[in-house]
Amino acid sequence: MTKAVSLFAVFALLLLFWVLLNGSLATDVLLVGAIAALIIAVLFRRQLAVVTEFRGTPQAFLATARYLVYLLKELVKSNLRLAGIVLSPALPLNPGIVKTRTRLNSRMGRLLLANSITLTPGTLSVELDGEWLYIHWVTVESSDIDAATASIVAGFEQHLEVMYG
Amino acid sequence: MVDLLIYLAAALTGLALLLALYRFVKGPSTADRVIAFDVLTIIGITAIALLALLEGRGIYLDVALVYALLSFLGVIVIARYLERGL
Amino acid sequence: MESLLAPLGGVLLVAGATFLLLGGLGLVRMPDIFNRIQAGAKATTLGTLLSLAGIACLQPAWAAKLLLIGLFILFTNPLSSHVLARAAHRGGAEKSPLTAVDRLAEDQRGDQA
């Protein structure tokens, strides 16, 4: 995104946060919020990678919506599976740390990918090293890099690629 | 009916707190205690929100928000400390 | 509308608390630190989100603030789990004897050799 657009996006997001926090649209609340949001947006416009690295195309917004739906679905799935493991008396585990590779290049894309992996069924990001992700897996299906990448990383990557690249 | 469900949820949350507390006391490693602490605070946030609901005081939600912020920072700081080697 | 929202909220609250309880149970039962983090991170995230959604159904006026808390937890909870897992691994935390592979430890030994 261009500088001016991303500055405005940061400002709008902060103001939205402020309004949600206050739960009111009174003039004085809005005025204080707008001033504070403007100062923060100008001071920290480069640090807020969530906004500045976002592509901002219509496709990116669509991918964001799809990503959120997919994330919530996976979160529910992962909890049901975990519940099954925890409640079974035998505790069926086959844990291990596998290596996977990501195509994403942006910092924000990789961060969100690692975050999402932690919330998906049985996986937890342990270490990030450039394009390599080391993932703890409760029930290891394959320790091969490509196979593990396909089953853990690929689902989120297709959405995040459009959003952040 | 709904009140009953709220109390049931509060009881389950309390039980979850006890389980996490067991791990916190038992350990055995420092990392185990930190993850137990992390879980305790997240459950605590739910407990505060439930309390807000039972008492009908929206202001408690601000407490929950600030608590979420501080506990996140706390866990990150402790984890960084652990990384440097204790 | 009103009559439907309240029971839904109650059910969501109980479902959320159940997941919190499962998370606590996982924390106690799992054999090593990484599996415990897995149980802790996932179950508490969903449990808290469901509970907050339930409260939002019972008190619609608080929905905005509850949404903020929920979003914050959705983003920070996996982050703190990840940082903890990394710290535990770097600190050489004990792994359950069940552990099948550890590519990270293998690669680190490779780097040093």
Side-chain angles (χ1 to χ4, degrees):
Chain A
M1 281 199 273
T2 61
K3 258 186 192 158
V5 175
S6 83
L7 187 71
F8 178 75
V10 172
F11 170 77
L13 212 65
L14 287 169
L15 193 59
L16 181 70
F17 184 85
W18 173 259
V19 169
L20 284 178
L21 200 61
N22 275 284
S24 113
L25 282 168
T27 323
D28 52 342
V29 171
L30 273 181
L31 198 67
V32 172
I35 293 169
L38 189 66
I39 294 171
I40 298 171
V42 170
L43 282 179
F44 294 100
R45 63 185 178 280
R46 277 182 214 90
Q47 275 89 340
L48 287 159
V50 188
V51 178
T52 51
E53 285 185 8
F54 189 68
R55 288 261 173 87
T57 58
Q59 288 95 326
F61 284 105
L62 195 67
T64 310
R66 284 215 190 106
Y67 164 75
L68 284 174
V69 171
Y70 186 69
L71 178 70
L72 290 177
K73 206 180 73 193
E74 290 291 304
L75 182 60
V76 173
K77 233 169 46 186
S78 87
N79 271 279
L80 293 178
R81 260 180 64 177
L82 195 80
I85 293 176
V86 168
L87 288 176
S88 79
L91 211 62
L93 293 174
N94 178 29
I97 296 175
V98 296
K99 190 176 182 180
T100 60
R101 167 188 243 157
T102 174
R103 294 197 303 263
L104 301 174
N105 290 315
S106 63
R107 289 184 310 155
M108 199 57 212
R110 282 178 180 167
L111 169 71
L112 282 178
L113 181 67
N115 252 2
S116 316
I117 285 170
T118 300
L119 293 175
T120 46
T123 53
L124 165 74
S125 333
V126 176
E127 183 88 71
L128 293 153
D129 183 14
E131 57 177 348
W132 303 105
L133 287 148
Y134 296 90
I135 291 162
H136 181 266
W137 208 348
V138 169
T139 50
V140 175
E141 286 155 26
S142 164
S143 57
D144 178 60
I145 291 178
D146 291 326
T149 304
S151 66
I152 300 176
V153 177
F156 286 108
E157 211 172 48
Q158 55 175 348
H159 300 304
L160 290 169
E161 203 167 31
V162 185
M163 288 160 65
Y164 289 101
Chain B
M1 175 60 196
V2 174
D3 277 353
L4 205 70
L5 287 176
I6 297 174
Y7 284 117
L8 179 62
L12 289 174
T13 310
L15 215 56
L17 269 174
L18 282 180
L19 285 173
L21 200 61
Y22 169 80
R23 178 53 67 197
F24 183 72
V25 173
K26 186 103 184 302
S29 71
T30 317
D32 285 304
R33 294 208 165 87
V34 181
I35 181 68
F37 170 75
D38 188 32
V39 171
L40 275 173
T41 52
I42 303 280
I43 300 175
I45 290 159
T46 311
I48 294 172
L50 273 172
L51 197 66
L53 182 70
L54 287 171
E55 303 259 313
R57 291 184 179 220
I59 193 80
Y60 286 4
L61 291 181
D62 293 282
V63 179
L65 190 62
V66 173
Y67 191 44
L69 256 160
L70 287 180
S71 79
F72 170 63
L73 283 178
V75 169
I76 296 282
V77 168
I78 297 171
R80 299 297 296 201
Y81 178 63
L82 284 178
E83 264 183 20
R84 301 274 143 81
L86 264 170
Chain C
M1 191 63 198
E2 187 82 7
S3 57
L4 257 174
L5 217 52
L8 176 71
V11 170
L12 280 173
L13 267 179
V14 173
T18 309
F19 278 116
L20 286 179
L21 186 62
L22 283 171
L25 198 63
L27 207 58
V28 170
R29 288 202 67 198
M30 288 297 196
D32 68 6
I33 175 77
F34 298 106
N35 291 307
R36 281 178 200 143
I37 294 176
Q38 293 252 17
K42 291 181 228 301
T44 52
T45 309
L46 186 65
T48 310
L49 286 182
L50 286 177
S51 300
L52 293 179
I55 294 172
C57 288
L58 291 165
Q59 285 277 8
W62 297 353
K65 204 168 278 181
L66 289 165
L67 180 72
L68 269 187
I69 302 178
L71 274 178
F72 186 78
I73 285 178
L74 187 62
F75 278 99
T76 59
N77 211 14
L79 253 177
S80 57
S81 314
H82 161 63
V83 174
L84 261 176
R86 198 177 64 171
H89 197 277
R90 284 188 183 167
E94 226 171 282
K95 287 187 290 274
S96 141
L98 291 168
T99 307
V101 283
D102 188 346
R103 292 267 182 252
L104 180 53
E106 284 169 24
D107 281 6
Q108 279 166 350
R109 275 198 298 274
D111 287 348
Q112 281 160 10

